[in-house]
Amino acid sequence: MKVEMEIMLPDMSDGEDDALEAVVSLWSVDEGAQLKEGDDLLEVTTDKAIFVVPSPCAGVLLEKRVHENDRVCADDVVAVLEADL
Amino acid sequence: MSSIPHKPCCGDNRNLNPAKPSEPPFPSWIRRPLPSGGDRQQVKDVLADLSLNTVCLSAQCPNQGECWSRGTATFMVLGNVCTRDCAFCGVSSGRPAPVDTDEARRVAQAVDRLRLRHAVITSVTRDDLHDGGAALIAAVVRAIHGTCPGVSVETLTSDFGGADSALSLVTEARPEVFAHNIETVARLHQTLRDPRASYERSLSVLRLARTLLPRKCHVKSGFMVGCGESEEEVGATLRDLRAAGCDAVTIGQYLKPRGGRVAVARFVPPDTFAAFEDQARALGFAFVMSGPFVRSSYHAEAVFGGALRSRQTDVSKNDS
């Protein structure tokens, strides 16, 4: 069964009221790419490091919702996958 | 294109240039898996339920994802506001709240609920307290030992302003690992640390802890690289720590916290960290963790296990 799934940036909060922001630094795949669970989707850069966002499941990357150099934060939708469930 | 409606992302200023001209860009090895859900969320839930702090959050540690996914956390007691203002640190500095005397019980509860096997207890520096908070830290150690038999405890403390009596309070509680970070090489102390801290005082703390603790307890220290130190200075620091009685050491890359005042001087490559590790082992450290993302309590449970296995090996060699 195939389901469209929004991929949200996980919580990287570093305090009670202060959400950690990141900048999209690299997309590892293009729209239409076939993915396995755990494949690198994109990289985001914070003040501390480059974090790699993996695909949570197998599927196809339908849409990139953010682009390189965009500022993002927790719960932002970064991509839409057509997941194989 | 998907059928899901497009919702705007946070921030009005998209497409900002993330480059920071005053600092070197991140090299390829400063990459981490993004914190995922699972056990990390459980840790956050327990901490929130018991009103506890972790240095993982307060210091913006990049290892949160890995450590928390294993059900490991470093508890920060005595509040989350420090009386000192070290330039490398991301913890808030200012006037702390009064001591929460119930904190020891709640930390022990958290250790129990999270089923930790090794609990790391650290704190902000509390120069406003006559004992620097040592009594509370000792109470946490005893509460964990009492509530969770078999769980080993590591304390990562301040220098207590050089007060031997305060340090004694902590060592009398018999943490399995006593840690105090020297933070950097001698030459850079003035740049990186609060003026109330010093290289020699930190060595004195470690030396005294070694004297007060039984041999079965370990003494540990850690410092950052990438702040402008030379490799010779790193070697000198390792020799000083070993001479002070440390048998465990951690070496990690300095990463500037948000709002931090000191830029990264260089990103030390992994092979240099490996060379530091070799140096430390040659000096006789029983346990060494050296790497870009190593922090004082990173894989702390493995640190303890590593030092203990080394001691057991030494004993068996002596017996043969």
Side-chain angles (χ1 to χ4, degrees):
Chain A
M1 184 175 73
K2 296 188 185 299
V3 174
E4 281 193 4
M5 173 191 294
E6 290 184 324
I7 308 304
M8 294 190 291
L9 201 65
D11 179 16
M12 295 185 293
S13 61
D14 61 349
E16 290 181 4
D17 302 310
D18 196 6
L20 186 67
E21 285 191 341
V23 174
V24 178
S25 42
L26 177 72
W27 270 100
S28 303
V29 291
D30 291 325
E31 290 176 353
Q34 185 74 43
L35 299 162
K36 300 188 300 295
E37 180 180 346
D39 281 350
D40 293 351
L41 269 180
L42 72 160
E43 295 180 1
V44 295
T45 301
T46 71
D47 288 351
K48 285 278 193 168
I50 300 168
F51 289 99
V52 181
V53 181
S55 178
C57 57
V60 175
L61 175 61
L62 288 183
E63 183 185 355
K64 298 177 183 178
R65 286 284 179 88
V66 296
H67 305 283
E68 290 177 12
N69 294 328
D70 283 355
R71 184 165 283 175
V72 292
C73 53
D75 296 333
D76 278 353
V77 176
V78 295
V80 179
L81 291 191
E82 183 183 67
D84 297 330
L85 297 180
Chain B
M1 185 65 70
S2 78
S3 61
I4 299 175
H6 186 125
K7 298 176 192 173
C9 297
C10 77
D12 294 324
N13 299 317
R14 295 163 70 100
N15 299 324
L16 291 178
N17 186 347
K20 298 178 183 178
S22 62
E23 297 184 21
F26 289 128
S28 59
W29 60 83
I30 302 293
R31 289 169 86 244
R32 301 293 287 159
L34 194 72
S36 58
D39 289 337
R40 182 174 183 269
Q41 190 56 49
Q42 184 204 14
V43 172
K44 289 188 77 174
D45 291 342
V46 169
L47 295 172
D49 185 40
L50 293 169
S51 301
L52 296 172
N53 295 307
T54 67
V55 73
C56 320
L57 288 174
S58 299
Q60 308 159 33
C61 181
N63 295 323
Q64 282 182 47
E66 181 178 350
C67 294
W68 288 17
S69 294
R70 295 199 322 272
T72 304
T74 296
F75 300 95
M76 188 164 75
V77 299
L78 294 166
N80 58 3
V81 177
C82 190
T83 51
R84 296 192 187 174
D85 189 23
C86 296
F88 67 86
C89 186
V91 174
S92 300
S93 173
R95 188 172 180 175
V99 174
D100 177 357
T101 55
D102 188 52
E103 194 165 33
R105 180 189 66 82
R106 298 199 313 277
V107 171
Q109 270 195 10
V111 171
D112 188 38
R113 284 169 63 175
L114 293 170
R115 300 179 186 273
L116 300 180
R117 288 179 299 164
H118 182 69
V120 183
I121 310 301
T122 190
S123 75
V124 292
T125 301
R126 293 294 301 260
D127 294 311
D128 58 315
L129 301 174
H130 73 280
D131 67 349
L136 189 282
I137 295 171
V140 173
V141 177
R142 292 194 173 96
I144 295 171
H145 283 159
T147 303
C148 312
V151 173
S152 51
V153 182
E154 175 171 336
T155 55
L156 172 59
T157 76
S158 70
D159 60 15
F160 297 118
D164 292 356
S165 57
L167 177 57
S168 297
L169 288 175
V170 176
T171 56
E172 283 165 5
R174 292 294 186 259
E176 279 75 12
V177 182
F178 175 89
H180 169 71
N181 287 341
I182 200 158
E183 305 294 4
T184 184
V185 302
R187 179 176 57 85
L188 295 178
H189 260 61
Q190 267 194 318
T191 304
L192 294 179
R193 294 187 84 179
D194 185 279
R196 287 164 285 189
S198 77
Y199 187 83
E200 286 305 323
R201 172 172 285 174
S202 286
L203 289 177
S204 293
V205 166
L206 295 163
R207 212 174 281 125
L208 181 59
R210 179 69 280 164
T211 303
L212 294 174
L213 287 166
R215 292 300 294 169
K216 66 177 182 178
C217 298
H218 304 280
V219 177
K220 176 178 165 187
S221 192
F223 59 96
M224 303 164 290
V225 292
C227 307
E229 72 291 322
S230 68
E231 292 179 10
E232 289 71 28
E233 288 175 313
V234 170
T237 302
L238 287 171
R239 288 191 294 275
D240 288 342
L241 290 175
R242 189 73 187 110
C246 289
D247 61 348
V249 66
T250 60
I251 308 169
Q253 169 71 52
Y254 168 65
L255 296 174
K256 181 182 171 183
R258 194 189 323 173
R261 304 191 297 278
V262 177
V264 174
R266 76 161 180 146
F267 289 102
V268 177
D271 58 355
T272 303
F273 277 107
F276 292 155
E277 178 174 349
D278 290 342
Q279 233 181 324
R281 292 198 186 282
L283 286 169
F285 284 93
F287 186 90
V288 182
M289 286 214 79
S290 176
F293 288 103
V294 167
R295 296 295 178 263
S296 180
S297 52
Y298 180 64
H299 284 231
E301 74 287 353
V303 174
F304 175 68
L308 183 58
R309 279 196 294 277
S310 179
R311 287 268 176 85
Q312 290 172 335
T313 300
D314 291 341
V315 169
S316 65
K317 282 180 182 174
N318 290 336
D319 288 344
S320 63

